[in-house]
Amino acid sequence: MPCWYYDKKELRNTPSSLDNIDYETEMRYRKEGARFIMDTAFKMDLGCNTKATGAVYFHRFYMFHSFRQFPRYVTACCCLFLAGKVEETPKKCRDIINTARGLLSDAKFSTFGEDPKEEVMTLERILLQTIKFDLQVEHPYRYLLRYAKCLVGDESKLEKMVQMAWTFVNDSLCTTLSLQWEPEIIAVALLYLAGKLSQFEVVDWVGRTNKHLRWWDMFVEDVTLDLLEDICHQVLDLYSQPVAEAPPDSPPLSPKLLLAAPSSSKTNGQEKEKVETPKIKPPATTVAPTLPEIPSYPYPPAFSTTSHAGTYLPQYANPTVAPPHIAAPPPGPPPPHMPAPPAVLYPPYVGPPPHYPPVVPPAPFYQPTPAAPPHRPFYPPPN
Amino acid sequence: MQPREKSHSHPGMTLKEKEKYIENFRFPFCDDSVKYEKVAKIGQGTFGEVFKAKEKTNPKKLVAMKKVLMENEKEGFPITALREIRILQRLKHENVVMLIEICHKRACQQNKCLSTFYLVFEFCEHDLAGLLSNVNVKFNLGEIKKVMQQLLNGLYYIHSNKILHRDMKAANVLITKNGVLKLADFGLARAFSANKNGQPNRFTNRVVTLWYRPPELLLGERNYGPPVDLWGAGCIMAEMWTRSPIMQGNTEQQQLTLISQLCGSITPAVWPGVEHLELYKQMDLPQQQKRKVKDRLKPYLKDAYACDLLDKLLVLDPSKRADADTALNHDFFWTDPMPCDLGKMLAQHSQSMFEFLAPPRRSRPHHTMANQRPTTSAIQDGGYQDRVF
Ligand SMILES: Nc1ncnc2c1ncn2[C@@H]1O[C@H](COP(=O)(O)OP(=O)(O)OP(=O)(O)O)[C@@H](O)[C@H]1O
Ligand SMILES: [Mg+2]
């Protein structure tokens, strides 16, 4: 199977960037495409795995093709169409297109051409070849629930935290995180972020041993605070992108943008920068609308320390209030939830994070459990 | 109509341009099917034709190519093919057919710009239906044990990976010339989970070729599981001796009648809860039938252990049917003659044997294609039959 993880340099050196689309614009296209997949999925009652699979296909697709060649909303529809079939929640192509039409402006919908269905069908063949028929995608959700089950603490606080983390996982689909890190690591990072923001300090967890400095050491290996914070910031950055500044709605054609060389790729040094000066911009008036649309997404299976993941508790089905951190992002100075890592515990962060931190326990479920054919010891036949 | 006006701001491609783009784009991960050369057609299934082919650069490497039928698909790439791909990608076992890759045939004039996809499998020289229909192929008891042991090993593996095969039948069981058995045709397979939260599954019960379909499916059960495949395993096991399918109904009703005549009446007494199944009242279930599995099959099977295992597989109540693990632990596999390699016996036959190429064993199940069969039972392609081993 192909490797679907990229480092930051590769993420800046995409077909779109070679096609003169600057990095920020590409990130915006990715975000809009993924958000559109989620909105369409939500309208069609599709579950979190279907929308997440669609979004991952979408991000992978644009590692091989340019946004200039393939308009994002058609691709988004196609990814959702395929994800629906793969996740056993198939939707008719026509219905997806009709839903899309309802969500898009006429100008945007015009990219579907004269025969939208044929457009999506043709694209599906390109999509399948592009993703090498690597259809099975894993998402952070199940890890999130699994890890949370091990944390010990005030139940209601824990629940709040898990719900918040769930929302972050939803929103992380708008970033390229799924192209950078395994779902296990994203789950740890966003649970960590939710813990910080909901002031839930994890001091104890089930299965703790002396070797574990942090709760996540139990689930993933070699994950540093720096790495977690980098992941958190990639999600938080979503909320700090002002809508008003959004450039017009298409691949850049203006002379200014065409001239822009494939954006000067910052190297990995930038994570360091980021960690040192976490910048969650104070809420400019234009910012609010892009904040996470919490009420519009299905909420996570309620979390409880005993029940099985996957049980939906009705009381969380209709969230009415956005978690506090979203309603009022901490103004001004660097938020208190991003403390500098304890100096002694970790060696200073040097260079890029290891690309594939080996993930310890849970083997992804698509990896077959090793064959252990049942064997009965031979004994002599009865007379 | 004017050609599609390119929208002011989106320079996306027209369909035509897109076709061209695909033609010229070198997909780094999806090889072109021209790397294989077709040798012979070996199967015709519901979803497409199957060909034997060899790799051009390495003619010793044989593969089976299963074409994905796209022509009359309204919903794009068929969900059945997606399932088969996804499931086979996650199953890796000696007794499960190996999916090598998915190849793509470029769009060309002939197929009207419709590109074609092929699933490429490791090639197996025979399928069990083909072998059983050839009277010159004789299995001794040890060899039959080996076949069944491998078949159950394959089932044990897929079931422990939470996959149901749902189309067990002799034609979907492949055997290599070295005697290694591979479960094939995951076109109907699906993942299942032990139903948590007391939520029953709602699977379709229109699966499994009629002759191999277990009573719970015939009675409309939707919340079924691995036992459906073990019923099929039982039917196949009996067939190792009878040489043709043991219950060849033409309708679902008739199939139920045949099952009752062999396994005894279907009643709540032998199968508690059966009365709640959707079709229990609708179907005409013969009463006062005695169970005759052992009596009727003893003349064929002879071996007492074989009769006993079969008796445990062809159990009406799915919850009492032996699972793969139990079956593998049965005395049948652990008494003399022990399971013995098939390689030697198969080496006496230098021709491939497939159901598709064999003369009909008897009537065909009604929904399989009625094919005109060539008189020969082997591929005359100069490939396999020339080999000496
Ligand atoms: N790997 C293989 N090696 C050799 N022969 C094969 C292989 N795969 C399939 N075949 C042959 O092709 C036939 C049809 O293949 P398969 O069962 O996968 O297709 P299908 O279209 O799903 O058929 P159906 O649904 O009618 O059972 C098999 O019965 C077998 O004879
Ligand atoms: Mg078949």
Side-chain angles (χ1 to χ4, degrees):
Chain A
M1 279 295 145
C3 168
W4 293 113
Y5 296 104
Y6 301 87
D7 63 29
K8 295 214 162 147
K9 205 167 147 206
E10 291 168 312
L11 287 174
R12 284 180 172 269
N13 200 19
T14 57
S16 296
S17 91
L18 298 174
D19 212 5
N20 281 318
I21 295 175
D22 67 87
Y23 182 72
E24 283 65 38
T25 308
E26 176 172 350
M27 288 304 121
R28 179 167 65 83
Y29 288 163
R30 285 182 180 274
K31 177 169 125 179
E32 288 170 356
R35 180 63 72 193
F36 172 71
I37 288 175
M38 292 193 269
D39 291 343
T40 311
F42 177 71
K43 270 241 148 89
M44 304 190 78
D45 269 335
L46 291 167
C48 61
N49 282 320
T50 303
K51 78 179 175 198
T53 298
V56 171
Y57 291 165
F58 182 84
H59 289 300
R60 291 180 180 178
F61 182 86
Y62 286 108
M63 293 311 286
F64 294 89
H65 308 281
S66 152
F67 277 98
R68 208 183 283 284
Q69 304 267 27
F70 293 95
R72 58 197 178 284
Y73 296 110
V74 184
T75 309
C77 276
C78 183
C79 291
L80 186 61
F81 176 56
L82 181 63
K85 289 190 277 185
V86 168
E87 299 289 346
E88 300 285 349
T89 52
K91 291 285 175 197
K92 288 213 171 75
C93 189
R94 181 147 308 283
D95 295 342
I96 293 184
I97 289 169
N98 286 337
T99 309
R101 197 195 312 257
L103 289 168
L104 293 172
S105 67
D106 285 352
K108 282 175 178 164
F109 192 72
S110 73
T111 55
F112 284 72
E114 298 234 303
D115 187 348
K117 190 175 164 195
E118 194 49 42
E119 197 83 26
V120 173
M121 294 294 185
T122 304
L123 191 57
E124 187 187 40
R125 295 199 289 270
I126 303 179
L127 174 62
L128 281 165
Q129 291 173 76
T130 304
I131 61 173
K132 207 205 171 183
F133 287 88
D134 190 0
L135 304 164
Q136 189 81 47
V137 185
E138 282 225 86
H139 304 297
Y141 301 110
R142 49 196 233 97
Y143 296 106
L144 187 72
L145 297 175
R146 185 189 297 174
Y147 300 162
K149 230 189 275 180
C150 298
L151 305 184
V152 174
D154 180 90
E155 285 238 353
S156 76
K157 272 191 155 182
L158 251 169
E159 274 167 21
K160 227 193 221 148
M161 161 173 151
V162 175
Q163 283 174 38
M164 198 188 279
W166 187 275
T167 307
F168 287 139
V169 171
N170 278 340
D171 291 334
S172 76
L173 297 171
C174 293
T175 70
T176 54
L177 276 171
S178 65
L179 296 175
Q180 301 171 53
W181 299 106
E182 291 86 342
E184 293 89 332
I185 294 180
I186 296 175
V188 164
L190 298 182
L191 206 48
Y192 164 80
L193 176 61
K196 292 287 175 193
L197 293 183
S198 63
Q199 266 114 52
F200 182 93
E201 207 193 329
V202 179
V203 286
D204 195 17
W205 55 92
V206 181
R208 181 173 193 169
T209 73
N210 289 337
K211 280 192 308 196
H212 301 144
L213 291 172
R214 309 274 183 176
W215 59 263
W216 59 82
D217 292 334
M218 194 161 82
F219 308 112
V220 289
E221 237 174 36
D222 291 335
V223 169
T224 61
L225 263 185
D226 281 337
L227 169 56
L228 292 191
E229 303 231 338
D230 173 53
I231 292 174
C232 297
H233 276 285
Q234 292 192 47
V235 173
L236 290 174
D237 282 351
L238 283 174
Y239 311 132
S240 58
Q241 286 157 10
V243 259
E245 283 168 31
D249 188 61
S250 52
L253 290 180
S254 75
K256 182 192 108 205
L257 288 167
L258 275 177
L259 286 176
S263 31
S264 56
S265 49
K266 286 183 214 158
T267 48
N268 277 294
Q270 65 170 340
E271 290 105 315
K272 181 98 204 223
E273 256 169 49
K274 252 185 183 166
V275 173
E276 283 168 358
T277 53
K279 47 161 202 299
I280 298 172
K281 289 175 190 156
T285 38
T286 47
V287 170
T290 57
L291 289 180
E293 293 139 41
I294 285 181
S296 57
Y297 295 111
Y299 248 60
F303 160 76
S304 97
T305 37
T306 47
S307 80
H308 273 292
T311 11
Y312 282 74
L313 286 192
Q315 58 263 46
Y316 302 112
N318 291 311
T320 44
V321 267
H325 70 286
I326 287 156
H337 60 270
M338 290 281 161
V344 266
L345 287 182
Y346 289 88
Y349 184 82
V350 269
H355 200 211
Y356 259 113
V359 168
V360 193
F365 86 110
Y366 52 80
Q367 265 173 19
T369 53
H375 269 303
R376 196 183 73 160
F378 173 75
Y379 62 85
N383 292 329
Chain B
M1 278 292 258
Q2 291 285 305
R4 179 161 79 88
E5 196 192 332
K6 280 203 190 168
S7 80
H8 55 289
S9 53
H10 291 273
M13 295 178 282
T14 63
L15 269 180
K16 262 244 145 58
E17 285 168 341
K18 216 167 268 175
E19 301 286 2
K20 254 219 121 61
Y21 179 93
I22 319 179
E23 250 173 76
N24 297 325
F25 189 85
R26 265 198 60 251
F27 290 94
F29 301 138
C30 193
D31 283 347
D32 196 303
S33 65
V34 294
K35 76 188 224 195
Y36 296 109
E37 184 183 323
K38 282 181 191 168
V39 175
K41 180 167 168 177
I42 53 175
Q44 168 73 62
T46 12
F47 304 119
E49 301 161 297
V50 182
F51 296 92
K52 175 183 180 179
K54 57 187 175 196
E55 199 165 13
K56 283 179 184 162
T57 56
N58 176 15
K60 282 213 180 101
K61 188 174 163 196
L62 296 173
V63 297
M65 299 175 76
K66 183 165 166 180
K67 189 172 169 177
V68 179
L69 266 194
M70 296 268 279
E71 277 76 32
N72 29 21
E73 278 296 329
K74 286 197 194 71
E75 292 300 320
F77 199 88
I79 192 168
T80 47
L82 289 172
R83 257 186 216 143
E84 182 162 15
I85 292 168
R86 202 165 42 110
I87 287 173
L88 284 168
Q89 280 171 348
R90 109 190 207 200
L91 299 176
K92 297 270 170 270
H93 188 266
E94 146 123 289
N95 299 123
V96 174
V97 73
M98 186 177 70
L99 178 66
I100 299 170
E101 62 179 335
I102 292 121
C103 269
H104 167 247
K105 185 160 147 197
R106 274 157 201 272
C108 63
Q109 245 54 21
Q110 288 150 299
N111 56 16
K112 290 201 218 104
C113 280
L114 268 183
S115 44
T116 314
F117 292 98
Y118 291 94
L119 311 196
V120 181
F121 296 96
E122 61 178 337
F123 181 73
C124 303
E125 281 74 8
H126 316 282
D127 70 38
L128 190 55
L131 288 172
L132 290 174
S133 64
N134 185 335
V135 289
N136 297 316
V137 177
K138 298 190 171 76
F139 294 93
N140 66 33
L141 186 55
E143 288 158 353
I144 290 178
K145 289 184 181 183
K146 188 72 178 183
V147 168
M148 285 312 296
Q149 193 175 43
Q150 295 185 73
L151 187 143
L152 290 164
N153 255 334
L155 281 184
Y156 176 82
Y157 172 78
I158 71 168
H159 290 165
S160 40
N161 279 285
K162 301 275 175 264
I163 299 290
L164 300 177
H165 185 283
R166 303 200 301 181
D167 199 10
M168 290 299 287
K169 62 174 172 180
N172 289 338
V173 174
L174 307 177
I175 297 188
T176 70
K177 63 169 194 272
N178 299 321
V180 180
L181 176 148
K182 315 259 177 189
L183 298 179
D185 195 353
F186 285 72
L188 283 176
R190 70 159 295 156
F192 70 95
S193 51
N195 29 339
K196 314 173 197 155
N197 321 335
Q199 283 249 352
N201 296 311
R202 298 278 300 162
F203 300 150
T204 171
N205 45 44
R206 305 214 35 97
V207 288
V208 189
T209 306
L210 189 55
W211 297 348
Y212 298 83
R213 203 179 294 166
E216 65 268 29
L217 291 184
L218 291 163
L219 290 173
E221 175 70 276
R222 286 164 157 282
N223 183 27
Y224 54 82
V228 298
D229 290 336
L230 283 131
W231 179 269
C235 295
I236 293 172
M237 178 172 169
E239 215 172 315
M240 293 300 299
W241 285 274
T242 63
R243 291 292 185 134
S244 57
I246 55 169
M247 291 177 281
Q248 307 185 12
N250 287 320
T251 61
E252 285 159 30
Q253 173 59 63
Q254 199 185 1
Q255 192 67 27
L256 274 170
T257 307
L258 290 172
I259 290 175
S260 307
Q261 286 166 355
L262 181 67
C263 303
S265 294
I266 298 174
T267 62
V270 297
W271 179 355
V274 66
E275 66 275 19
H276 303 305
L277 291 181
E278 227 165 292
L279 302 177
Y280 177 76
K281 296 223 164 63
Q282 267 157 270
M283 292 295 200
D284 182 21
L285 299 176
Q287 296 303 301
Q288 315 301 331
Q289 295 290 324
K290 283 233 291 284
R291 186 170 172 85
K292 307 179 199 82
V293 175
K294 284 188 173 176
D295 288 348
R296 271 188 44 200
L297 289 162
K298 193 147 213 172
Y300 295 92
L301 276 59
K302 309 221 166 59
D303 183 79
Y305 292 120
C307 287
D308 189 65
L309 174 55
L310 196 57
D311 193 47
K312 298 199 153 83
L313 290 171
L314 294 180
V315 169
L316 293 170
D317 182 348
S319 69
K320 298 192 198 109
R321 205 172 295 152
D323 62 12
D325 186 33
T326 310
L328 281 163
N329 282 327
H330 192 276
D331 286 338
F332 179 60
F333 296 110
W334 304 96
T335 49
D336 274 335
M338 289 294 283
C340 108
D341 218 76
L342 297 161
K344 254 213 196 106
M345 182 274 281
L346 291 172
Q348 300 163 14
H349 305 276
S350 57
Q351 296 184 323
S352 263
M353 283 163 263
F354 293 113
E355 180 187 53
F356 175 67
L357 301 156
R361 290 190 285 170
R362 252 201 245 169
S363 52
R364 326 256 347 126
H366 66 290
H367 69 270
T368 8
M369 55 155 289
N371 45 8
Q372 282 80 48
R373 290 167 174 285
T375 45
T376 167
S377 63
I379 313 176
Q380 305 292 347
D381 59 36
Y384 185 67
Q385 62 189 343
D386 285 349
R387 206 166 311 132
V388 181
F389 42 80

